[in-house]
């Protein structure tokens, strides 16, 4: 079984309640929340008031992916929005070790996200402190983009880095995930799949989630 974290970026913001009810009763393990600031990525999504509204209805842990510069400034606000996991980009943190400590001190799981061009080896000296690594399989900023195949070789190297150290750090992959890319991703070592367009663009979103969840290595 694979854990699935559906991305609310592709949900219907005119009727979030309906989508959250579907997600609450689905096989989703987490809910993926994409926050964009228009600076770190060329798009703006939503911020804390919307996250708080989601948190009131959601019955699954919130997996918050911050595509913003200097995310360390917002640790307590993210925690107050109910985040279980706080994902910060490697490329957005000058003092990554400090930010990871702050996330843990606030009582959340800490995850570091890598853009497609950032090698997994950049995490060699922090991997022991991470609950999760999020590999971007598209350039962050937009839903419904095409999966970048070089993610797979990064995944294999990251899996080795984690397993050779006997760590429990989970690997999540985000961008362009469907049944085909999801299968290849799970075979290469992913534990958690994020999916936006594949889930919310499907005739039966709950089935799309359980189809991804049934993938196994
Ligand atoms: C992209 C976001 C993703 C996005 C995934 O910047 O981080 O989480 O919503 O969407 P799909 O699954 O449609 O590629
Ligand atoms: Zn994301």
């Amino acid at each position: 079984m694979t854990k699935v974290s559906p991305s609310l970026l592709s949900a219907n913001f005119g009727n979030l309640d309906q989508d959250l009810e579907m997600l609450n009763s689905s096989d989703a393990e987490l809910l993926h929340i994409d926050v964009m600031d228009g600076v770190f990525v060329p798009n703006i999504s939503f911020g804390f008031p919307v996250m708080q509204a989601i948190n009131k209805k959601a019955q699954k842990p919130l997996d918050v992916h911050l595509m913003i510069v200097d995310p360390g400034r917002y640790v307590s606000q993210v925690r107050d929005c109910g985040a279980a996991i706080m994902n910060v980009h490697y490329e957005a943190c000058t003092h990554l070790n400090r930010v990871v400590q702050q996330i843990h001190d606030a009582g959340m799981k800490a995850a570091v996200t890598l853009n497609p061009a950032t090698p997994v080896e950049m995490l060699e000296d922090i991997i022991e402190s991470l609950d999760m690594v999020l590999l971007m399989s598209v350039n962050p900023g937009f839903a419904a983009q095409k999966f970048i195949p070089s993610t797979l070789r990064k995944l294999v190297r990251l899996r080795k880095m984690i397993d050779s150290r006997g760590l429990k750090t989970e690997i999540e992959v985000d961008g362009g995930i469907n049944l085909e890319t999801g299968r290849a991703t799970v075979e290469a070592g992913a534990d958690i799949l994020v999916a936006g367009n594949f889930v919310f663009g499907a005739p039966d979103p709950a089935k799309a989630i359980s189809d991804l969840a049934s993938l196994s290595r």
Side-chain angles (χ1 to χ4, degrees), residues 32 34 65 67 174 194:
H32 189 82
D34 289 300
H65 176 196
M67 286 161 273
D174 182 8
V194 175

Side-chain angles (χ1 to χ4, degrees), residues 61-191:
L62 303 186
D63 166 29
V64 178
H65 176 196
L66 297 166
M67 286 161 273
I68 65 175
V69 293
D70 212 355
R73 288 176 299 166
Y74 299 104
V75 173
S76 59
Q77 282 106 312
V78 171
R79 189 256 332 269
D80 293 346
C81 288
I85 306 170
M86 177 164 164
N87 296 270
V88 297
H89 269 261
Y90 171 84
E91 303 84 3
C93 297
T94 309
H95 299 287
L96 184 61
N97 187 293
R98 177 183 292 142
V99 175
V100 167
Q101 276 183 43
Q102 288 169 336
I103 295 171
H104 281 148
D105 289 347
M108 294 177 285
K109 289 190 175 175
V112 172
T113 308
L114 299 182
N115 277 336
T118 305
V120 295
E121 286 71 21
M122 304 315 280
L123 301 179
E124 292 267 10
D125 293 297
I126 194 148
I127 190 78
E128 288 84 357
S129 309
L130 303 182
D131 299 289
M132 186 172 96
V133 175
L134 170 50
L135 291 187
M136 289 309 301
S137 41
V138 297
N139 287 297
F142 303 93
Q145 301 183 82
K146 213 170 156 297
F147 183 89
I148 297 172
S150 56
T151 311
L152 296 176
R153 62 177 195 239
K154 288 174 69 177
L155 247 170
V156 171
R157 303 204 311 276
L158 180 60
R159 184 80 266 163
K160 255 190 214 148
M161 191 193 293
I162 290 169
D163 291 350
S164 66
R165 289 166 164 80
L167 299 172
K168 299 246 178 300
T169 313
E170 293 192 289
I171 306 177
E172 181 174 59
V173 178
D174 182 8
I177 294 293
N178 53 36
L179 267 188
E180 192 187 334
T181 56
R183 185 172 295 115
T185 301
V186 167
E187 277 167 10
D191 303 297

